[in-house]
Amino acid sequence: MINDKLQNRKFVIGGLIVLVVFIYAIRLLSLQVFTSSYKVLADDNAFYKRILFPSRGLIYDRYGKLLVYNRPAYDIMVTMKEISNLDTTDFCNTVGITKEWFVQRMNDIKDRHINQGYSPYTPQVFITQVLPDDYARLMEKLFHFPGFTVQRRSVRDYAYDVAAHTLGSIGEVSRTTIENDPYYKPGDYVGISGVEKSYESVLRGEKGVQILLRDSRGRIKGSYDDGKYDQQPVTGKDITLSLDVELQMLGEKLMQGKRGSIVAIEPSTGQILAMVSAPSYDPKLMVGRQRSQLFQQLNTDPERPLLDRSIMGRYPPGSTFKAANALILQQEGITTKDTRVACHGGYFVGHFKVGCHIHPSPLDLEGAIAYSCNTYFCTEFRAMLDSKKFKNIEQSFNAWRKDILTFGFGQKLGIDLPNENSGFIPTTKTYNREHGRRRWTSLNIVSDAIGQGEIIATPLQIANLCALVANRGYWITPHIVRSIEDGNIDPRYLVKHVPPIDKWYYNNVVEGMRQSVIYGTSRIASFGDSIVVCGKTGTSQNPPHKDHSIFMGFAPMNHPKIAIMCIVENSGFGATYAAPIASLMMEFYLTRKISPARQGLETTMENTFLIPNYGSKNSIVAPAR
Amino acid sequence: MVRKIQLSHLLDKWVILIFLLMIIFGWFNVYGASYGFHQTNFWSFEYRSGKQLIWIACAFVIGGVILLLDGKYYEQLAYIFYAAVLVLLAITIVVAPNIKGSHSWLVFGPVSFQPAELAKLATALALAKYISHPGFSLSKRQDVWWVFGIILTPFVLIVLQAETGSALVFMAFFLMLYREGLPGILLLIVSILIVLFLIVLPLSEVPIYGNVGSLGFLIALSIIFLIEIGAVVAYERDWKTARYFLLGGILLFGIGLLLQMSYDVLFNQIALILVILSSLYLIFLFIYKRKRAYIWIALFAIGATVVSFSGDYFFDHVLEQHQRTRIEVVLGMKNDPQGVGYNVNQSKIAIGSGGFWGKGFLQGTQTKLKYVPEQDTDFIFCTVGEEHGFVGSLGVLLLYALLLFRLIYIAESHRDTFLRVYTYSIVSIMLFHVLINVGMVLGLTPVIGIPLPFFSYGGSSLWSFTVMLFILLRLDVSQKMRFR
């Protein structure tokens, strides 16, 4: 070699080669072994997960009649790259849209800010849930419009136009729900009210997924590994409600044109037999694309048809509350069956007056319930509050309050429907705030004796009180779902709640309610001779508006099958509307018919419209598109 | 007969073995990369895997012919061949159609051919012949000009074809020149300048904490200052001058920190002042002590500083837009997965998703679904990374390292300058190809469209590397025969 020194440079060049391999090996290590995110990115690239939607569970009534089922609806899809020679005018006319809407919609689809998953190669939703007529027209001409396809999806349909509040509806999942539950993806349908919401996890089933291969241009290249990793969707479970749909239909018919509510419970089980909130709407209309528009219309309606009055309505329970007080007063040893109080047209203390209507005097406990004597309950309630048993009025009031809460008042009962209201039972704080600390006496709060004043209850709570009396000593949390396919209902709907009232005290209240139907305020509630009905009217004062007509009752007297509560807002005495409506309901439930003698009453009730210019719910029609 | 037996005996078994391994593994990867979902026929010539089989067969024929020719022809014909290729390159500029913006392909009916591939071989042979002339020395200015001329003429012609990627390969010859005596310091300085360029560019816009200057410039100037100190220490073999430098540096930055409380001080400017002051001191030392080394160190510092600052200017005003964006992407200046960085991003995803063992042959989703552009040509290493994982990728890299080591061994085992220069040229070219190609796929080097030797799909590249390798083998055999 000429220059041996230069020969050593082969080591430098060799070292350079080693250095390159070394650096690249480290880079490979960090990319392939120490970073896992690339695998996810590659899968996100390659695998298009097509969601397979399960069909939603069906809903039946207590006798197995199908209430809610699924029907196909059609979304028009558009694949931008496949559009060619589109006759826009013809297309718009066929689908029933304006050209401006068409242009706007196409721009929205292409805007990745609005439509994040946009690809010109995959179908994008153009219109959701076209009407059957439009669909039929489009199908005839679809071949004229390359790029447009139709995708089937299923929406809810209803066999009966009743129980809209209870059944609830489904709608597109909200952003917050998506954030809280990764199961949901934008565009999914989810129960948003009623049973659809509270039993969402049962009804929805489980989505399946089909893993497809997608190339760099978004084109589908077939299924991955022959569908080995695909998951079939799991159909939602069917549920059976405790609702008797025919009873419900009768209830809604009787309540049409009125504001108010009916809640009927099977006392021995706590199952709800009927649940009417009036005014109502046709659940069939709350489906599909007109839903949001109709929802707006109903939401701004002054009669508030969307409000489920049976669980959200806040009413003074009025005289029905006397049944609850009768139980407590007996238990506290203030009142006995034979305690008699004289009544001369009202309860008078100085200038203070609680009116009462004309009835025989003096009355014992049963008579006082039968005639709904205000004087009796005011006197006895004050006797309890001022009793020497208690140190002061706060203590006595708290004792009363503790008992009343065990009946289910002043708290959410825990029905399996969303948005239940808790009602209100005042506390000592309420009165301290109102009158000053310890500056109130039994006279200040005497309205509580007759279910007025600060006391607020929901129809459900009053119906529950009725069930408690009918059961003579216990209540089971009212619930609407009777059974779930392949599953059990929540065990808390099997628990008996037993208030601290001795059993025999109930008999006196029951007897009083029986007397009420025989000769007292609830005479109109009587039907037939074979079935022994018990009842209690109420007239809940609602100044400055007209009183609410309230009635609660159960039948038969022994082994009751139905406990019912009815309220008709601003309609007057309990006996005027609530008692006849409730009794017709009881009659129908127990005999499956209305006796000819009472069909006139049924017609009268049905055709009484208390809300001016407000017909039956069916008068609300779908808004024009 | 005798000759043939001798030939097969004397052929370098290692090179042949590695060559075969690469060709076979390469073909499987081309097959994997071009494999489509509706493709059922493994051998159909409609597909690239099938075509590649033809190219491979042709490569073997070409290799065989080369081995049968006497080695002395290559040396004798080197200049003529080189001149012919230059003419071809010049013609190509005029004749070639525009393919993806470059005029580098000659099209003859169904066959197209890239003369730039031949130019590498021709230049390697011409350099080998010129350097092997007796009396050649890189210390002779005239020889240096000639060598640079041989390298730069095809370089310029290829640049004129707008095929910058292939032209850059000619820079690899400087590595061979280093072996032949080019001062190592030149190589080092060029490397340092490139590193400085790479540091300043992406970081020049990055502010230091509290916005007290540009991070990129601070780092670059600090490196220059430290190199200055290192050079002074290395030259004087004493820390005396270096101590002044360090003290001055600490003092200046201390003052800067103090002034920071009441004035806006830019620390990269303090570093600049430091570099200027130290360079002035070195110039003073040169005038005072009359030692040339001082002026060289000072000139380096000033030059490096100018390069650092001119980087921005050069980048913004000299480079073309697509070159700028490519560099920007590699330096992480632009994170734009759908734009220019898309290729690199997808190739990183492909490689990264391969994991340790890979997804298995034909199981790569990134390549199968065409997420990586040019996946069977320039980005073929993606397929290796995705389907064969870390093991396969490292295996390929080690195979290249083995081949290059073996070639270096062959080059150094003979006393023939022509063979040595030629072999080192081939080594340099291959190393450059692997460095840039794999680096680009891994997101480490700019995206320059040059193929991976023996792996990428395509006849031109495969044949040109086969010819280079087999000429080398033939020369090796000739040398062995001569000294038998």
Side-chain angles (χ1 to χ4, degrees):
Chain A
M1 205 66 231
I2 308 158
N3 193 340
D4 281 332
K5 222 178 173 182
L6 285 180
Q7 204 181 5
N8 287 335
R9 289 192 171 182
K10 73 179 177 193
F11 296 113
V12 176
I13 294 171
L16 207 63
I17 294 166
V18 172
L19 186 71
V20 169
V21 171
F22 182 71
I23 290 173
Y24 285 5
I26 286 175
R27 177 68 171 178
L28 279 170
L29 261 182
S30 83
L31 282 181
Q32 298 187 301
V33 184
F34 298 119
T35 317
S36 51
S37 63
Y38 288 111
K39 211 161 219 134
V40 179
L41 288 170
D43 289 354
D44 285 351
N45 268 346
F47 300 135
Y48 173 66
K49 290 175 182 153
R50 176 179 288 164
I51 303 299
L52 304 172
F53 290 97
S55 61
R56 207 171 163 84
L58 307 178
I59 303 178
Y60 296 95
D61 94 331
R62 70 186 289 115
Y63 298 121
K65 292 201 176 79
L66 184 60
L67 300 180
V68 185
Y69 55 96
N70 302 309
R71 109 180 128 72
Y74 300 92
D75 291 353
I76 300 180
M77 314 292 285
V78 59
T79 310
M80 294 296 177
K81 278 282 170 185
E82 287 169 13
I83 296 178
S84 66
N85 303 323
L86 179 68
D87 183 346
T88 318
T89 317
D90 189 15
F91 180 77
C92 291
N93 290 338
T94 308
V95 185
I97 51 172
T98 63
K99 213 158 181 173
E100 292 73 40
W101 195 90
F102 175 86
V103 172
Q104 176 65 38
R105 180 67 194 142
M106 289 302 246
N107 287 336
D108 285 354
I109 292 171
K110 286 177 192 161
D111 188 343
R112 281 208 167 86
H113 295 293
I114 299 170
N115 182 15
Q116 286 183 344
Y118 174 68
S119 156
Y121 297 93
T122 53
Q124 308 287 314
V125 178
F126 182 70
I127 307 182
T128 57
Q129 300 183 19
V130 289
L131 300 176
D133 288 356
D134 291 341
Y135 169 69
R137 238 180 314 138
L138 178 66
M139 282 313 279
E140 276 174 33
K141 300 175 89 176
L142 196 62
F143 66 95
H144 285 308
F145 311 123
F148 286 90
T149 49
V150 169
Q151 178 185 279
R152 226 182 99 126
R153 70 188 295 167
S154 93
V155 294
R156 285 306 223 189
D157 207 347
Y158 300 84
Y160 302 87
D161 57 358
V162 295
H165 297 106
T166 308
L167 296 174
S169 57
I170 57 172
E172 263 188 49
V173 64
S174 71
R175 198 177 284 267
T176 36
T177 313
I178 296 170
E179 278 163 12
N180 295 330
D181 187 345
Y183 176 86
Y184 296 105
K185 297 282 173 288
D188 283 3
Y189 273 35
V190 66
I192 52 174
S193 61
V195 169
E196 298 276 19
K197 183 177 185 181
S198 52
Y199 286 88
E200 164 68 11
S201 58
V202 176
L203 289 168
R204 76 178 181 197
E206 287 297 324
K207 281 189 274 194
V209 64
Q210 188 181 13
I211 300 176
L212 299 170
L213 290 168
R214 173 177 55 188
D215 77 1
S216 57
R217 304 178 72 189
R219 289 173 302 205
I220 301 304
K221 290 294 195 181
S223 77
Y224 173 63
D225 222 348
D226 295 325
K228 210 163 86 186
Y229 300 99
D230 293 0
Q231 281 171 346
Q232 290 305 310
V234 181
T235 309
K237 290 178 182 168
D238 299 345
I239 58 177
T240 300
L241 302 185
S242 55
L243 221 59
D244 172 356
V245 73
E246 288 180 6
L247 184 66
Q248 179 78 21
M249 282 161 76
L250 175 66
E252 297 204 6
K253 195 172 76 179
L254 294 173
M255 288 298 285
Q256 72 184 13
K258 308 170 187 69
R259 274 188 306 268
S261 169
I262 305 173
V263 177
I265 298 177
E266 184 177 69
S268 57
T269 57
Q271 291 175 4
I272 287 168
L273 301 170
M275 211 171 186
V276 180
S277 174
S280 181
Y281 55 91
D282 186 347
K284 285 176 189 164
L285 300 177
M286 290 294 259
V287 168
R289 273 195 298 149
Q290 75 267 31
R291 187 187 170 280
S292 60
Q293 237 172 318
L294 179 61
F295 186 86
Q296 275 306 314
Q297 192 185 326
L298 294 178
N299 205 21
T300 51
D301 191 312
E303 305 300 341
R304 307 186 65 192
L306 288 177
L307 180 77
D308 187 354
R309 289 173 161 80
S310 48
I311 55 171
M312 293 158 82
R314 292 166 60 86
Y315 303 103
S319 300
T320 54
F321 203 63
K322 285 172 185 163
N325 275 334
L327 292 170
I328 297 171
L329 292 169
Q330 291 182 83
Q331 183 68 32
E332 294 293 340
I334 306 299
T335 307
T336 66
K337 188 177 184 306
D338 299 321
T339 306
R340 282 166 185 271
V341 173
C343 170
H344 306 289
Y347 180 68
F348 304 97
V349 179
H351 293 294
F352 184 84
K353 179 198 167 196
V354 177
C356 196
H357 46 89
I358 295 157
H359 57 74
S361 174
L363 292 170
D364 63 1
L365 179 59
E366 285 168 14
I369 293 173
Y371 285 114
S372 196
C373 177
N374 286 344
T375 311
Y376 191 97
F377 283 95
C378 289
T379 309
E380 293 300 299
F381 183 64
R382 286 194 66 197
M384 176 187 166
L385 293 178
D386 297 334
S387 164
K388 293 282 176 285
K389 268 172 71 178
F390 305 106
K391 273 201 304 205
N392 54 33
I393 183 128
E394 285 196 1
Q395 201 184 39
S396 54
F397 178 79
N398 279 333
W400 172 82
R401 186 173 190 277
K402 205 175 115 241
D403 287 341
I404 213 77
L405 291 186
T406 63
F407 298 167
F409 287 103
Q411 65 206 297
K412 288 180 183 176
L413 283 170
I415 190 175
D416 45 355
L417 287 172
N419 305 324
E420 189 194 352
N421 197 281
S422 58
F424 183 66
I425 297 296
T427 63
T428 53
K429 270 188 197 157
T430 316
Y431 295 119
N432 283 339
R433 202 162 43 231
E434 200 175 314
H435 303 286
R437 192 168 151 76
R438 298 243 174 100
R439 289 174 60 85
W440 46 283
T441 66
S442 57
L443 190 60
N444 292 117
I445 63 167
V446 75
S447 305
D448 293 351
I450 55 170
Q452 292 292 152
E454 286 78 9
I455 291 170
I456 298 290
T458 64
L460 184 72
Q461 285 170 331
I462 299 169
N464 188 54
L465 171 68
C466 188
L468 166 68
V469 174
N471 284 334
R472 284 121 168 127
Y474 72 90
W475 54 277
I476 292 173
T477 305
H479 52 281
I480 192 74
V481 169
R482 196 178 195 204
S483 64
I484 299 169
E485 184 191 18
D486 305 327
N488 299 316
I489 63 163
D490 196 322
R492 69 199 170 99
Y493 297 132
L494 302 170
V495 177
K496 285 182 178 178
H497 299 271
V498 183
I501 308 291
D502 293 331
K503 206 169 155 75
W504 47 87
Y505 294 136
Y506 288 97
N507 292 329
N508 299 332
V509 176
V510 170
E511 193 53 45
M513 288 172 71
R514 174 65 195 143
Q515 307 292 332
S516 176
V517 174
I518 295 172
Y519 60 78
T521 53
S522 309
R523 285 187 305 269
I524 196 164
S526 152
F527 58 89
D529 294 328
S530 54
I531 297 168
V532 184
V533 181
C534 300
K536 177 80 202 75
T537 56
T539 306
S540 129
Q541 288 162 10
N542 183 36
H545 304 288
K546 211 177 163 190
D547 299 346
H548 300 320
S549 168
I550 304 186
F551 175 84
M552 75 175 196
F554 59 88
M557 180 170 162
N558 297 313
H559 308 294
K561 292 259 185 313
I562 179 170
I564 193 165
M565 184 277 169
C566 177
I567 179 167
V568 181
E569 287 181 28
N570 316 119
S571 64
F573 293 117
T576 323
Y577 294 106
I581 289 173
S583 76
L584 286 167
M585 294 283 285
M586 285 193 281
E587 183 182 2
F588 180 81
Y589 180 69
L590 295 171
T591 65
R592 304 314 290 176
K593 64 178 183 352
I594 304 292
S595 62
R598 280 161 57 84
Q599 277 168 5
L601 182 66
E602 183 191 358
T603 315
T604 312
M605 287 299 136
E606 186 186 333
N607 292 331
T608 305
F609 294 95
L610 297 175
I611 311 174
N613 307 321
Y614 208 89
S616 66
K617 65 190 165 193
N618 294 336
S619 69
I620 300 173
V621 291
R625 188 138 53 94
Chain B
M1 225 21 223
V2 177
R3 201 183 123 115
K4 273 185 189 165
I5 292 165
Q6 272 189 333
L7 195 77
S8 61
H9 269 286
L10 294 172
L11 268 180
D12 192 278
K13 302 289 185 304
W14 279 103
V15 173
I16 295 286
L17 180 69
I18 295 169
F19 168 73
L20 287 176
L21 275 175
M22 283 189 173
I23 293 279
I24 292 165
F25 194 48
W27 181 79
F28 275 106
N29 281 298
V30 168
Y31 179 69
S34 59
Y35 173 86
F37 276 93
H38 309 295
Q39 184 175 348
T40 45
N41 192 344
F42 272 69
W43 312 102
S44 169
F45 295 129
E46 288 169 41
Y47 300 107
R48 287 195 156 183
S49 50
K51 284 187 186 167
Q52 183 75 352
L53 271 183
I54 303 179
W55 309 147
I56 289 173
C58 294
F60 282 120
V61 173
I62 294 168
V65 171
I66 289 169
L67 289 181
L68 291 176
L69 290 171
D70 198 315
K72 65 176 184 251
Y73 292 129
Y74 305 115
E75 198 167 346
Q76 285 165 2
L77 295 173
Y79 287 152
I80 299 167
F81 183 49
Y82 177 75
V85 167
L86 286 186
V87 171
L88 198 60
L89 284 175
I91 293 171
T92 309
I93 300 173
V94 187
V95 178
N98 187 337
I99 296 176
K100 288 182 194 168
S102 81
H103 296 267
S104 61
W105 290 88
L106 286 178
V107 182
F108 309 101
V111 186
S112 45
F113 166 73
Q114 209 174 12
E117 292 291 343
L118 268 186
K120 292 175 214 166
L121 173 67
T123 310
L125 287 170
L127 280 174
K129 173 135 187 177
Y130 188 81
I131 292 173
S132 60
H133 279 310
F136 171 87
S137 167
L138 274 175
S139 49
K140 281 194 237 162
R141 191 157 296 171
Q142 198 192 1
D143 282 350
V144 172
W145 286 127
W146 268 108
V147 165
F148 281 22
I150 291 171
I151 295 172
L152 289 178
T153 312
F155 173 83
V156 169
L157 286 173
I158 295 171
V159 167
L160 289 176
Q161 291 176 356
E163 187 66 25
T164 325
S166 298
L168 283 175
V169 176
F170 286 79
M171 294 298 110
F173 286 113
F174 285 93
L175 189 65
M176 177 275 290
L177 291 180
Y178 166 72
R179 167 64 185 87
E180 294 307 317
L182 196 74
I185 191 77
L186 277 178
L187 217 60
L188 200 67
I189 286 172
V190 169
S191 317
I192 288 170
L193 292 183
I194 290 170
V195 169
L196 285 177
F197 191 76
L198 294 185
I199 288 173
V200 171
L201 261 189
L203 298 179
S204 64
E205 303 295 323
V206 179
I208 311 172
Y209 170 79
N211 201 11
V212 287
S214 150
L215 186 62
F217 287 122
L218 180 65
I219 292 175
L221 291 165
S222 306
I223 290 174
I224 293 169
F225 186 59
L226 291 176
I227 290 173
E228 242 182 336
I229 293 175
V232 169
V233 171
Y235 175 68
E236 292 185 344
R237 303 193 180 280
D238 182 39
W239 281 87
K240 219 172 86 188
T241 316
R243 228 176 287 157
Y244 296 141
F245 280 23
L246 281 173
L247 269 175
I250 292 164
L251 207 67
L252 265 177
F253 274 99
I255 292 168
L257 274 176
L258 282 174
L259 288 177
Q260 176 63 28
M261 310 207 176
S262 40
Y263 302 98
D264 284 339
V265 177
L266 297 176
F267 280 91
N268 55 315
Q269 290 182 352
I270 294 182
L272 183 63
I273 294 169
L274 202 58
V275 171
I276 292 171
L277 285 181
S278 55
S279 303
L280 288 175
Y281 181 70
L282 286 173
I283 292 169
F284 164 76
L285 280 182
F286 160 68
I287 295 163
Y288 184 68
K289 291 190 180 174
R290 295 272 159 197
K291 294 273 166 60
R292 267 233 194 115
Y294 292 118
I295 192 81
W296 284 125
I297 297 170
L299 283 178
F300 164 77
I302 292 165
T305 310
V306 170
V307 165
S308 297
F309 280 91
S310 69
D312 251 1
Y313 178 84
F314 173 76
F315 187 76
D316 288 340
H317 298 98
V318 178
L319 289 184
E320 283 177 36
Q321 184 54 44
H322 73 275
Q323 290 166 323
R324 263 204 298 277
T325 39
R326 280 177 174 184
I327 292 175
E328 278 174 341
V329 168
V330 166
L331 300 182
M333 291 164 70
K334 270 192 181 173
N335 197 0
D336 176 21
Q338 291 301 323
V340 180
Y342 177 81
N343 295 12
V344 176
N345 204 40
Q346 290 297 344
S347 87
K348 271 158 74 180
I349 291 175
I351 291 196
S353 66
F356 190 79
W357 293 106
K359 294 177 183 174
F361 182 53
L362 299 185
Q363 300 301 311
T365 54
Q366 280 287 103
T367 44
K368 215 106 297 133
L369 297 164
K370 321 283 179 213
Y371 279 93
V372 186
E374 305 288 335
Q375 55 191 340
D376 45 8
T377 55
D378 293 348
F379 281 84
I380 188 74
F381 197 72
C382 280
T383 313
V384 181
E386 189 180 17
E387 298 194 343
H388 306 285
F390 177 70
V391 177
S393 315
L394 189 66
V396 170
L397 287 180
L398 290 178
L399 221 50
Y400 277 114
L402 261 180
L403 179 66
L404 296 181
F405 280 139
R406 187 65 195 172
L407 296 185
I408 292 174
Y409 168 80
I410 291 172
E412 299 287 353
S413 62
H414 303 298
R415 293 182 152 270
D416 185 67
T417 312
F418 182 82
L419 173 81
R420 191 180 68 238
V421 172
Y422 175 74
T423 309
Y424 269 106
S425 296
I426 303 306
V427 167
S428 307
I429 288 169
M430 281 199 189
L431 180 62
F432 189 84
H433 270 260
V434 173
L435 177 83
I436 295 296
N437 183 285
V438 177
M440 144 185 110
V441 171
L442 294 179
L444 290 175
T445 54
V447 178
I448 294 169
I450 58 173
L452 190 63
F454 307 117
F455 272 78
S456 291
Y457 167 81
S460 285
S461 144
L462 176 65
W463 295 343
S464 108
F465 279 108
T466 307
V467 169
M468 285 184 202
L469 200 65
F470 276 76
I471 288 178
L472 190 155
L473 285 172
R474 188 65 190 84
L475 293 172
D476 176 47
V477 170
S478 301
Q479 286 295 320
K480 283 176 184 160
M481 288 206 289
R482 191 183 297 170
F483 295 104
R484 245 176 120 78

